[in-house]
């Protein structure tokens, strides 16, 4: 009996030559995939200050990313700073980031600046795919377990495992290029339009502060871990446009009280620095309601470096 | 636009009608009988297409007219789900029936082969609109698996995937944002979004075609080329010989020529051109924006014709056509003309289209909005430049994606395809539907 495909393969005169071509092509793909991913990972590590020996570790999302200038802070404090901040990372992500940093650094940081905000326990509006930003570190055990838990389909995990370049995306490519260029500039140039925003907020177009117990537990675990690592913890609430706070004043106060009470239990030595009351009135510092522009970043960094000095003097 | 399993009966019905009409046309010796069956096939197929695709459009377009006579007439919409790819398989089946009628193709006696030709899976959703003369006969020859075909097919699939998931789908993010609310953006932003759309639609549709052609190639079939570097066209006529070739040649053979082609008076010829382009616009969708898009191309075509007459009259035609600089300038000019027409193709309604066309060349001294991620927008521009570089290599014959041999050394080509695969892994975004699925 003749099996059609099998017979075709036997009769194919070019099969040997073409199998060699396919083999050569696959080797090129594998080599290229490996080297491109290694080069990109190196850039990402440089950007986030991973595998380094920093004195201060900043962990947080875009609020912190745009609020503190790494280079200015290093200049003012004369300490080495690792800025491990990414867009859209929630409390669980931040816990993984801290564990990831501590598992890869050559020297433990003395200070960890952990970003907090009134939406810390709000589960609504969080990105469901923030695990994508961890894919380049899939080979690190702490990150691997987290990715396995987060991926919607096992296929996504296997794809990232075997096709190394698929671990990256344009955000990480940007992070990698910036890492090589040693560029941590805040590029959110411009000032928010207060008239439009106030109107939108009045119409209910703002993110509501809500409370999720799982996220509170995650936050508590994070602080507990940091306490165990014996580092100085600073919980930093960066400024946001005042009207989105005043419209939900009660929830804001409640969120800050919960943060305070969790910190007192899980990490009593942690300092909470709330910059909202000090800077939220100054509209010229904001690019949008929750992100600072370069001017805002400079003002906040200078203020924060003074706070750091005072903490050290104590 | 969705699929429903019941619609398989629609394809079966269309196939049966055309197969049977083809049999009757092919076997009958009586011209009147032949004509009767041709008309029957045309009315049935175009009637179905009209019902599923244009019925609501006709109702809403006629409502204002009806309101002139009776102001109480209310707009009425019938809930119809447009069968995916209906325009493509209707045109494929019709081309067979008309070819049999014109004795350009012999009648097919096997319903299975005929159905395979119409519903061949790579083509079913978005073409190319294959002719019986090219594809149907290929079902009569035994197909053997060959490693050479596998490689050729995979090359096309990689190139198509790259265009779709790396370029088209990335550009779509920016284009959708701007075209979703064009009144909020500056002229430079509207121009950038329209340029992005020009490449989005090209990469989306030609990407699909390459994947379809590559899949067919692996199975041993050769499909017609549907795109040939359209943005390298130096005239509108040339553009339509390079863009969606299977559709433009379909309209040329089955609409333009029956209307009299160019063997009629000049004024009638001009009308024919205009009709063909407007119908081609309507084929894309039941919306005035598509009709204007088609009509605009017809207008360009006629304008170009009159321009060439003028040049001939003043004795500059040879100089203009032979000049290399003029050739490059013509390519740029054609691109911008096509760009303006794309505004109508992409806009949600005519008001938006007119707003964009009247604003996209104003305020160009202002920096365009760079989207939620400036890096992504810059990356998009770089990817377009990469695409253009590859296309220039193709244009100069140094590199071939299709069946002709390439002048580039094999190792370099392998590295090139490997880079494309890595870029797909790195920059490919979650794929959206192909734009042409809706037609």
């Amino acid at each position: 009996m003749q099996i059609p495909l099998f017979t075709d393969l036997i009769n194919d005169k070019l099969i040997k030559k073409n199998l060699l071509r396919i083999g050569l092509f696959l080797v090129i793909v594998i080599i290229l995939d490996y080297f491109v991913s290694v080069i990109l990972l190196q850039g990402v590590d440089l950007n986030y200050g991973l595998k380094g020996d920093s004195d201060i570790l900043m962990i947080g999302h875009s609020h912190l990313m745009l609020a503190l200038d790494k280079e200015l802070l290093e200049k003012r404090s004369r300490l080495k700073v690792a800025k491990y901040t990414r867009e859209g990372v929630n409390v669980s992500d931040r816990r993984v980031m801290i564990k990831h940093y501590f598992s890869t650094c050559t020297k433990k940081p003395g200070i960890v600046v952990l970003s907090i905000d009134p939406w810390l326990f709000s589960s609504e509006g969080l990105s469901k795919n923030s695990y994508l930003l961890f894919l380049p570190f899939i080979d690190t055990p702490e990150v691997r377990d987290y990715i396995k838990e987060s991926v919607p389909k096992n296929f996504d995990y296997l794809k990232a495992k075997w096709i190394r370049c698929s671990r990256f995306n344009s955000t990480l490519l940007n992070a990698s290029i910036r890492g090589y260029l040693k560029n941590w500039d805040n590029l959110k140039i411009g000032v928010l339009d207060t008239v439009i925003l106030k109107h939108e907020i009045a119409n209910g177009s703002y993110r509501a502060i809500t409370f999720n117990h799982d996220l509170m537990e995650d936050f508590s675990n994070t602080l507990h871990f940091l306490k165990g690592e014996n580092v100085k913890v600073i919980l930093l609430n960066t400024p946001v446009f005042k009207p989105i706070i005043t419209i939900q004043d009660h929830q804001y106060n409640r969120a800050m009280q919960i943060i305070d009470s969790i910190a007192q239990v899980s990490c009593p030595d942690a300092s909470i620095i709330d910059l909202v009351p000090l800077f939220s009135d100054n509209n010229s510092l904001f690019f949008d309601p929750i992100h600072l522009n370069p001017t805002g970043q400079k003002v906040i960094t200078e203020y924060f470096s003074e706070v750091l000095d005072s903490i050290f003097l104590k | 636009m969705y699929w429903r399993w019941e619609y398989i009966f629609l394809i079966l019905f269309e196939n049966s009608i055309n197969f049977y009409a083809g049999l009757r046309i092919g076997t009958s010796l009586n011209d009147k009988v032949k004509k009767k069956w041709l008309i029957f096939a045309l009315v049935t197929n175009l009637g179905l297409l009209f019902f599923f695709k244009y019925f609501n459009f006709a109702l809403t377009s006629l409502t204002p007219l009806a309101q002139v006579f009776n102001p109480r007439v209310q707009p009425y919409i019938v809930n119809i789900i447009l069968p995916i790819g209906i325009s493509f398989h209707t045109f494929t089946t019709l081309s067979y029936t008309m070819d049999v009628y014109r004795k350009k193709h012999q009648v097919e006696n096997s319903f299975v082969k005929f159905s395979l030709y119409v519903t061949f899976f790579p083509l079913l959703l978005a073409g190319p609109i294959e002719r019986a003369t090219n594809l149907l006969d290929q079902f009569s020859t035994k197909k053997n698996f060959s490693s050479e075909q596998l490689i050729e097919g995979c090359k096309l699939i990689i190139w198509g995937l790259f265009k779709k998931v790396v370029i088209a789908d990335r550009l779509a993010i920016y284009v959708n944002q701007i075209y979703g609310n064009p009144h909020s953006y500056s002229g430079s932003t509207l121009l950038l979004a329209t340029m992005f759309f020009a490449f989005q639609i090209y990469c989306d549709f030609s990407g699909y075609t390459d994947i379809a052609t590559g899949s067919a190639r692996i199975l041993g079939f050769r499909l017609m080329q549907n795109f040939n570097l359209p943005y390298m066209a130096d005239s509108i006529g040339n553009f339509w010989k390079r863009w969606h070739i299977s559709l433009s040649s379909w309209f040329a053979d089955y609409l333009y020529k029956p209307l009299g082609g160019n063997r009629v008076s000049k004024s009638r010829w001009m009308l024919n051109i205009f009709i063909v382009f407007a119908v081609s616009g309507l084929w894309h969708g039941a919306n005035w924006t598509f009709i204007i898009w088609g009509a605009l191309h017809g207008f360009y075509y006629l304008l170009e014709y009159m321009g060439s007459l003028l040049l001939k009259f003043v004795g500059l035609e040879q100089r203009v056509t032979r000049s290399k600089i003029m050739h490059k300038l013509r390519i740029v000019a054609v691109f911008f003309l096509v760009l303006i027409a794309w505004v109508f193709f992409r806009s949600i309604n005519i008001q938006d289209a007119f707003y964009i066309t009247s604003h996209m060349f104003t305020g160009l001294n202002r920096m365009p909005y760079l989207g939620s991620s400036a890096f992504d927008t810059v990356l998009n521009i770089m990817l377009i430049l990469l695409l253009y570089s590859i296309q220039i290599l193709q244009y100069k014959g140094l590199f071939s994606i299709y069946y002709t041999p390439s002048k580039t050394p094999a190792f370099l080509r392998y590295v090139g395809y490997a880079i494309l695969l890595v870029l797909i892994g790195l920059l490919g975004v979650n794929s959206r539907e192909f734009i042409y699925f809706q037609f």
Side-chain angles (χ1 to χ4, degrees), chain A residues 119 121-128 207-212 215:
Chain A
W119 295 273
F121 310 122
S122 309
S123 54
E124 300 85 4
L126 287 176
S127 56
K128 296 268 187 283
R207 189 179 170 204
I209 299 169
T210 57
F211 302 92
N212 177 299
L215 293 175

Side-chain angles (χ1 to χ4, degrees), chain A residues 5 8-9 12 14-15 18 21-22 24-25 28-29 32-33 36 40 165-166 168-170 173-174 177 188, chain B residues 142-148 150-151 158 170 372 375-376 379 411 414-415 417-419 421-422 425-427:
Chain A
L5 184 64
D8 290 347
L9 285 171
D12 188 346
L14 293 169
I15 190 82
N18 283 335
R21 285 165 73 191
I22 293 168
L24 174 67
F25 175 70
I28 295 171
V29 171
L32 202 65
D33 180 53
V36 170
L40 289 176
C165 275
S166 72
F168 296 84
N169 54 30
S170 63
L173 177 66
N174 185 13
I177 293 170
K188 299 281 184 194
Chain B
K142 188 172 177 272
K143 295 281 173 286
N144 294 317
F145 174 82
S146 120
S147 53
E148 199 66 19
L150 176 74
I151 291 173
I158 292 171
R170 297 193 73 83
S372 50
F375 178 80
D376 277 349
L379 185 66
F411 184 74
Y414 291 171
V415 172
Y417 282 107
I419 290 171
L421 265 187
V422 167
L426 182 65
L427 299 174

Side-chain angles (χ1 to χ4, degrees), chain B residues 217-233:
Chain B
R217 191 75 200 116
I218 292 171
L219 297 172
F221 292 85
R222 265 177 192 267
L223 302 184
M224 68 182 293
Q225 194 174 347
N226 212 14
F227 291 89
N228 183 18
L229 315 174
Y231 294 142
M232 294 289 179

Side-chain angles (χ1 to χ4, degrees), chain B residues 143-207:
Chain B
K143 295 281 173 286
N144 294 317
F145 174 82
S146 120
S147 53
E148 199 66 19
Q149 287 168 8
L150 176 74
I151 291 173
E152 279 180 9
C154 286
K155 274 158 57 176
L156 278 165
I157 291 172
I158 292 171
W159 179 231
L161 259 180
F162 171 76
K163 284 194 281 187
K164 169 65 181 161
V165 302
V166 179
I167 303 183
D169 288 348
R170 297 193 73 83
L171 294 175
I173 298 166
Y174 184 86
V175 173
N176 291 348
Q177 187 182 352
I178 308 303
Y179 268 77
N181 189 13
H183 300 265
S184 304
Y185 298 98
S186 66
S188 54
T189 305
L190 295 173
L191 181 63
L192 183 66
T194 309
M195 282 192 170
F196 275 9
F197 178 69
F199 288 98
Q200 183 205 338
I201 191 158
Y202 169 60
C203 289
D204 190 282
F205 191 21
S206 71

